[in-house]
Amino acid sequence: QVQLAESGGGLVQAGGSLRLSCTASGRIFRTYVMGWFRQAPGKEREFVGGVTWTGLTTYYADSVKGRFTCSRDNAKNTAYLQMNSLKPEDAAVYYCAVRLQDGIGVSVNDYRYWGQGTQVTVSS
């Protein structure tokens, strides 16, 4: 079993920045992709970005491309989502998730383990 713990959410003004962290623990015996999703009230959970095990490949939703950056430090079992130039429409609960197959999936069904989520609020 794998446990994921997110941190770093909070309230920020539009145009500001936040960095989310996701630390994995438990029984992981292979490389994995780390994905980030978000869910706003009344909306479906949507893909934000992802990073492969090596950190060399990332992929982002068009809505965050150029503003958000995924990275990871495998020595710390931690992945990061750096969010810059935040907009009110970025407000949501953000989740990290682990995918055990190769390639960055964009569907919630592509990921097996999920964190509990962290709230990001952006004031206008």
Side-chain angles (χ1 to χ4, degrees), residues 2 9 13 16 28-29 31 33-34 38 46 51 53 56 58 60 70-71 86-88 95 100 102 108 116 118 121 123:
V2 175
Q13 287 189 332
I28 306 178
F29 296 111
T31 62
V33 169
M34 186 68 81
R38 66 187 181 187
E46 64 174 1
V51 56
W53 173 259
L56 295 178
T58 56
Y60 302 95
C70 295
S71 62
L86 282 161
K87 306 175 181 180
Y95 300 88
L100 299 178
D102 291 334
V108 295
Q116 81 286 355
T118 185
T121 304
S123 63

Side-chain angles (χ1 to χ4, degrees), residues 24-73:
S25 61
R27 301 170 66 84
I28 306 178
F29 296 111
R30 59 151 294 160
T31 62
Y32 57 92
V33 169
M34 186 68 81
W36 291 90
F37 288 74
R38 66 187 181 187
Q39 188 168 19
K43 295 188 176 181
E44 293 187 352
R45 192 170 298 188
E46 64 174 1
F47 174 77
V48 173
V51 56
T52 56
W53 173 259
T54 61
L56 295 178
T57 301
T58 56
Y59 184 73
Y60 302 95
D62 288 343
S63 58
V64 306
K65 201 172 295 182
R67 300 187 298 122
F68 290 13
T69 302
C70 295
S71 62
R72 63 194 298 164
D73 183 344

